[in-house]
């Protein structure tokens, strides 16, 4: 049995959870999230605690136990606290600006990179080189951050690129001249 799947989920007072058939909806102060749960997985709510159980013990069902517990826990955390991802633009002339619902980046190309900001994600820029992303949906937030980073991944020779906060780049030595 999954060790993660057995753990109960504590529900904050500001979060409302509703279960209809195989769909779970989580509402909080930062938004509403919903997802479908397979019928083989049971959910019980008792005194501010949510418990995920299995209806049968087949191998396929057991493999989903911890996954759906984690997905539901991320939904609860997202609507009550929000998730944060910080990206750092490192390079000469690299900077970003938010224009209405578009993130405009100068990344050393001959043109500006324009990226549409999803509805459930908010973007703040500090000092032109630090991008703070906030959102209640962890999957959508991580995907958006990865799409931004894909425009300039960090390179090991000069250390330029778009980095996650706290990320270390393993630097390589360049060509040795004679």
């Amino acid at each position: 049995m999954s060790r993660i799947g057995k753990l109960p989920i504590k529900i904050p007072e500001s979060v409302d959870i509703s279960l209809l058939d195989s769909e779970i909806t989580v509402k909080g102060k930062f938004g509403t999230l919903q997802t479908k749960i397979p019928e083989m997985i049971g959910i019980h709510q008792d005194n501010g605690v949510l418990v995920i159980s299995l209806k049968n013990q087949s191998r396929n069902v057991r493999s989903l136990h911890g996954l759906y517990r984690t997905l539901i826990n991320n939904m609860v955390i997202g609507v009550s606290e929000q998730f944060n991802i910080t990206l750092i633009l490192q390079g000469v002339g690299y900077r970003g600006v938010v224009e209405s619902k578009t993130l405009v980046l100068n990344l050393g190309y001959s043109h500006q990179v324009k990226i549409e900001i999803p509805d459930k994600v908010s973007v703040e820029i500090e000092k032109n080189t630090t991008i703070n992303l906030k959102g209640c949906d962890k999957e959508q937030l991580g995907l958006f951050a990865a799409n931004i980073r894909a425009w300039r991944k960090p390179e090991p020779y000069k250390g330029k690129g778009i980095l996650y906060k706290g990320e270390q780049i393993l630097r390589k030595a360049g060509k040795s001249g004679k």
Side-chain angles (χ1 to χ4, degrees):
M1 185 174 214
S2 171
R3 291 185 208 168
I4 293 173
K6 286 192 282 185
L7 297 174
I9 300 170
K10 294 179 183 172
I11 303 168
E13 293 179 12
S14 62
V15 175
D16 295 325
I17 294 179
S18 60
L19 301 165
L20 292 172
D21 297 328
S22 64
E23 188 147 322
I24 184 168
T25 304
V26 181
K27 293 181 184 177
K29 63 181 178 180
F30 291 110
T32 302
L33 297 174
Q34 64 183 26
T35 189
K36 287 192 172 214
I37 304 292
E39 294 178 8
M40 303 155 293
I41 295 176
I43 300 173
H44 307 289
Q45 188 173 356
D46 297 325
N47 299 331
V49 175
L50 205 65
V51 179
I52 287 73
S53 61
L54 300 176
K55 293 186 179 173
N56 66 35
Q57 294 292 325
S58 70
R59 184 178 185 128
N60 292 337
V61 175
R62 286 190 320 224
S63 69
L64 297 175
H65 193 201
L67 169 71
Y68 277 95
R69 189 262 177 210
T70 302
L71 290 176
I72 293 169
N73 190 41
N74 285 343
M75 290 168 62
V76 169
I77 292 170
V79 297
S80 63
E81 300 173 18
Q82 282 194 320
F83 291 102
N84 291 331
I85 295 179
T86 303
L87 298 172
I88 299 167
L89 304 176
Q90 194 165 29
V92 177
Y94 287 17
R95 65 182 159 208
V97 177
V98 176
E99 295 176 357
S100 65
K101 292 294 278 176
T102 306
L103 177 64
V104 180
L105 300 172
N106 291 335
L107 299 173
Y109 294 117
S110 61
H111 56 85
Q112 293 179 330
V113 175
K114 296 182 180 181
I115 304 170
E116 287 293 319
I117 300 172
D119 292 335
K120 293 185 178 180
V121 176
S122 64
V123 178
E124 297 174 359
I125 297 190
E126 299 173 8
K127 302 179 191 172
N128 292 330
T129 59
T130 304
I131 303 171
N132 292 322
L133 306 174
K134 287 185 181 180
C136 60
D137 190 353
K138 188 174 186 179
E139 179 183 1
Q140 187 179 30
L141 186 68
L143 183 63
F144 182 60
N147 287 339
I148 293 172
R149 182 183 156 98
W151 281 97
R152 278 281 192 210
K153 290 186 178 174
E155 55 96 14
Y157 296 102
K158 293 184 180 177
K160 295 171 24 175
I162 302 174
L163 293 86
Y164 291 111
K165 184 178 181 181
E167 180 181 11
Q168 296 290 322
I169 302 174
L170 295 176
R171 300 291 299 267
K172 292 183 179 179
K175 284 199 282 188
S176 57
K178 289 187 177 184

